[in-house]
């Protein structure tokens, strides 16, 4: 009798980031140092590039592969940036932020206590991926967050495209 196959494989969630970058093997080593990633497995291609790899950060899996520009698979360095952030919720945002910077990430947004209830900051890794790092500090309603955003906009009108 054939065993039932799970529609979502063990260890995965409904949404799983799949990162593409030049130097995927080096990126995995960076993520180990920066975020405590654990490598689950890799499939090297002839020539040394990674066709597919998986790692785990906390309770979440992330897929990773080298870029293959001839097949339309480009990483953020080739694209000169990325509009996508990988969001990490962690127990201690300050410690993880510093660990990432010590490993070679570039601070993009300093850690601060934010109006939506998180201690939050952003870094860019050496492979062009942007990471937001947060620790949830306060539970707020959408209305409370909206009020906090409006207060921030009044104090910093140039933030988020506001008028000066």
């Amino acid at each position: 009798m054939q065993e039932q196959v799970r529609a979502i494989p063990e260890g995965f969630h409904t949404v799983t980031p799949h990162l593409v970058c030049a130097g995927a093997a080096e990126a995995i080593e960076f993520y180990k140092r920066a975020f405590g990633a654990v490598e689950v497995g890799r499939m090297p291609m002839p020539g040394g590039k990674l066709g597919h790899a998986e790692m785990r950060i906390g309770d979440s899996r992330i897929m990773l592969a080298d870029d293959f520009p001839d097949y339309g698979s480009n990483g953020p360095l080739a694209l000169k940036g990325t509009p996508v952030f990988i969001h990490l919720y962690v127990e201690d945002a300050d410690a993880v932020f510093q660990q990432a910077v010590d490993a070679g990430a570039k601070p993009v947004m300093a850690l601060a206590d934010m109006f939506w209830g998180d201690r939050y900051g952003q870094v860019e890794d050496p492979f062009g991926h942007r990471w937001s790092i947060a620790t949830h500090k306060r539970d707020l309603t959408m209305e409370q967050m909206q009020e906090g955003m409006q207060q921030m906009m009044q104090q910093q009108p140039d933030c988020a495209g506001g008028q000066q």
Side-chain angles (χ1 to χ4, degrees), residues 45-62:
M45 302 285 288
K49 282 188 164 190
L50 292 182
H52 180 79
E54 293 178 15
M55 60 184 177
R56 189 178 67 249
I57 299 175
D59 67 353
S60 299
R61 288 265 182 113
I62 296 176

Side-chain angles (χ1 to χ4, degrees), residues 6 30 33 47 52 63 67 80 87 106 114 117 142 148 162:
R6 293 174 54 135
F30 170 81
R33 292 188 312 276
H52 180 79
M63 296 181 200
D67 59 356
K80 302 195 184 336
H87 188 77
K106 178 179 77 174
M114 299 305 221
M142 280 298 217

